[in-house]
Amino acid sequence: MAKTDPYAALRIKEFNIFLLVRFVLVFGWSMQFIVIEWQVYSITKDPLYLGIIGLMEIIPAFTMALFAGHIVDQKEKRNLLAKCIAAFSLISLGLFFLTWDEIVADWSTKTILYAIYAFVFFGGFLRSFFGPTIFSLVALIVPKKIYPNAATWSTSTWKAAAVLGALFGGFFIHWIGVDKTLCIIFIFVLTSLILVFQIKKKPILNPKIGEPIKESLKVGVRFVFNNKAILGALTLDMIAVLFGGAVALLSVFAQDILEVGSQGFGILNASVSLGSIFSMFMTTYLPISKNAGKKLLASIFGFGLCIIAFGLSDVFWISVLALFLSGATDGVSMVIRQTILQLKTPDNMRGRVSAVNSMFVGSSNELGAFESGVAAKIMGPVVAVVFGGTMTLITVLTIGIKNPVLRNLDLTKDIEAHENEEA
């Protein structure tokens, strides 16, 4: 049943609660990011200060990632997630006060701006804990034999919440204003905090509690770099995000190349997200475990082709289709990568492996946007996007040739082994 049932993971009550917690939390986080960007630009009218938002978040998230992974492997996961959510609620509450005119009416713009950056920095610190904690917790909720199905639903939920949160963030700013929107976000976060306690506490599966941090981090990093399947999957995704960052240049294409204005800009953005969500839900019905390595390589190769097609297109509907397909292929690769990580990572190392994953992939989002901007400045937006897609294709071909372990990876044996173990 686990092999054929697309709703296998959803038949587990705690997993449904986990998905609801993740949806509400990511929905609120995505709304908050949009609101912060809007508020910062509103008070400064300088796009440079928008770039600093990403910098303020990525610095603590990247530098704290390995330490966070160590802590996650040492602690009980349900309570750790609850503590992270509680801390995040303080950020939302603080940002609400910073946008409440009755409180900051006499504050200078610089003071408000620095305070916002301080909360964003604290959020980056929390971000380093969220990923490893969630990755580790889901593995303790569902049986190993349905990890692929659980990974699909978890990733799909995250993507849908991120898209809807960003969408409604803009709507709520228009409807009720910035301060009241942040108050609603605070309520969302508190809701997720209440819901997380509906999940039972989980056992700590790490036999080396109290292990020195230095040794723990060495073991985690060594495991990732010695596992060809995991290292190959992370490298592929990192390069695709780093060089395939066409999304960062959508405003340029919408205004100067396709000339479709703000409405077309919204459609271009939505097409990427819709493609991702569509493919993620489709993978619940289509098997991805068999020949997973070849499917991962094929999906990222397809992503590179779509990015090149978008860069070369000057026809709006072709550009929309190319972006939709790029989102679809990216969604497939995300599900396969998460499945590889879940099945190939020992229970006692999930926090550290997820932390390394966040360093590979999470940081490359911000770096990818930076790379796209620099490349567009030097080469022009069209050449920059085509260059990024071409680099993605070269990376896929290189890793496909140089890493036969990933190329020939088949996860059905891992699933069968876990079924026998649990039987």
Side-chain angles (χ1 to χ4, degrees):
M1 181 175 178
K3 293 181 180 179
T4 58
D5 184 4
Y7 307 104
L10 297 183
R11 302 187 191 284
I12 300 172
K13 181 181 178 180
E14 277 198 332
F15 184 70
N16 288 319
I17 297 173
F18 167 83
L19 290 183
L20 185 57
V21 169
R22 190 171 198 193
F23 181 89
V24 173
L25 188 62
V26 174
F27 183 85
W29 191 300
S30 298
M31 280 185 66
Q32 183 167 288
F33 190 80
I34 293 297
V35 174
I36 290 172
E37 285 192 324
W38 178 274
Q39 183 67 5
V40 167
Y41 189 72
S42 296
I43 64 177
T44 64
K45 298 301 181 181
D46 188 340
L48 175 62
Y49 292 101
L50 294 178
I52 297 176
I53 294 175
L55 191 64
M56 287 294 100
E57 183 174 11
I58 195 59
I59 288 175
F62 184 85
T63 55
M64 290 296 298
L66 289 177
F67 174 74
H70 164 77
I71 296 298
V72 171
D73 282 336
Q74 297 279 318
K75 301 294 183 179
E76 194 277 317
K77 311 303 182 288
R78 195 283 306 270
N79 281 352
L80 184 59
L81 179 58
K83 291 176 182 177
C84 289
I85 296 174
F88 178 45
S89 71
L90 297 178
I91 296 176
S92 299
L93 184 61
L95 289 170
F96 164 65
F97 288 138
L98 284 176
T99 57
W100 193 359
D101 289 338
E102 293 183 14
I103 292 179
V104 298
D106 298 327
W107 292 24
S108 68
T109 298
K110 183 178 292 187
T111 301
I112 297 173
L113 189 63
Y114 287 168
I116 290 175
Y117 285 154
F119 280 115
V120 172
F121 189 89
F122 182 35
F125 174 82
L126 288 179
R127 172 178 157 181
S128 67
F129 284 88
F130 268 118
T133 304
I134 288 173
F135 179 79
S136 303
L137 181 60
V138 68
L140 297 171
I141 293 175
V142 301
K144 293 179 179 179
K145 62 185 178 181
I146 59 172
Y147 275 177
N149 185 256
T152 300
W153 283 109
S154 180
T155 306
S156 301
T157 298
W158 165 78
K159 188 66 177 180
V163 171
L164 293 174
L167 178 65
F168 278 92
F171 287 157
F172 274 100
I173 291 173
H174 176 71
W175 291 336
I176 60 176
V178 170
D179 55 345
K180 295 182 178 63
T181 300
L182 285 167
C183 183
I184 289 177
I185 292 170
F186 175 65
I187 294 172
F188 274 123
V189 178
L190 287 184
T191 301
S192 68
L193 180 60
I194 294 171
L195 289 171
V196 79
F197 286 105
Q198 301 302 308
I199 299 174
K200 295 179 181 178
K201 292 174 65 175
K202 303 301 176 186
I204 303 173
L205 301 180
N206 186 359
K208 296 183 179 181
I209 300 299
E211 181 181 20
I213 295 177
K214 186 177 180 180
E215 182 60 29
S216 172
L217 298 184
K218 281 183 179 179
V219 172
V221 173
R222 191 183 303 126
F223 172 81
V224 172
F225 280 86
N226 288 339
N227 190 301
K228 298 297 183 183
I230 291 179
L231 181 62
L234 295 185
T235 303
L236 276 173
D237 200 67
M238 180 184 69
I239 296 298
V241 172
L242 183 62
F243 288 105
V247 174
L249 300 176
L250 287 187
S251 59
V252 178
F253 276 79
Q255 294 180 47
D256 301 334
I257 297 173
L258 299 172
E259 298 180 349
V260 291
S262 59
Q263 186 175 7
F265 174 61
I267 294 173
L268 291 172
N269 271 295
S271 61
V272 180
S273 301
L274 289 174
S276 296
I277 295 172
F278 173 77
S279 67
M280 287 178 184
F281 281 115
M282 286 301 295
T283 55
T284 61
Y285 293 91
L286 302 174
I288 59 171
S289 301
K290 187 174 180 59
N291 297 319
K294 292 183 175 64
K295 290 175 181 176
L296 178 63
L297 290 165
S299 62
I300 298 180
F301 191 85
F303 172 80
L305 291 176
C306 293
I307 293 300
I308 293 173
F310 170 75
L312 295 174
S313 170
D314 58 2
V315 179
F316 180 61
W317 70 266
I318 294 178
S319 298
V320 170
L321 179 61
L323 288 177
F324 177 85
L325 293 175
S326 75
T329 51
D330 183 50
V332 172
S333 71
M334 286 176 62
V335 170
I336 296 176
R337 177 170 55 86
Q338 285 297 312
T339 303
I340 292 173
L341 288 175
Q342 287 286 7
L343 290 173
K344 293 292 185 180
T345 303
D347 289 328
N348 64 315
M349 297 180 65
R350 293 189 180 279
R352 283 163 287 178
V353 171
S354 179
V356 175
N357 171 52
S358 69
M359 294 179 70
F360 267 75
V361 181
S363 60
S364 59
N365 284 293
E366 285 78 9
L367 292 176
F370 178 73
E371 181 275 333
S372 296
V374 172
K377 181 72 173 179
I378 297 172
M379 300 182 286
V382 172
V383 177
V385 171
V386 173
F387 168 76
T390 303
M391 289 299 297
T392 301
L393 298 184
I394 292 173
T395 302
V396 172
L397 293 173
T398 302
I399 292 180
I401 294 171
K402 297 290 187 179
N403 192 337
V405 174
L406 178 64
R407 183 178 69 243
N408 299 319
L409 181 65
D410 192 320
L411 296 175
T412 54
K413 294 181 180 179
D414 294 89
I415 296 173
E416 290 173 359
H418 288 314
E419 286 180 341
N420 294 333
E421 177 185 329
E422 289 171 351

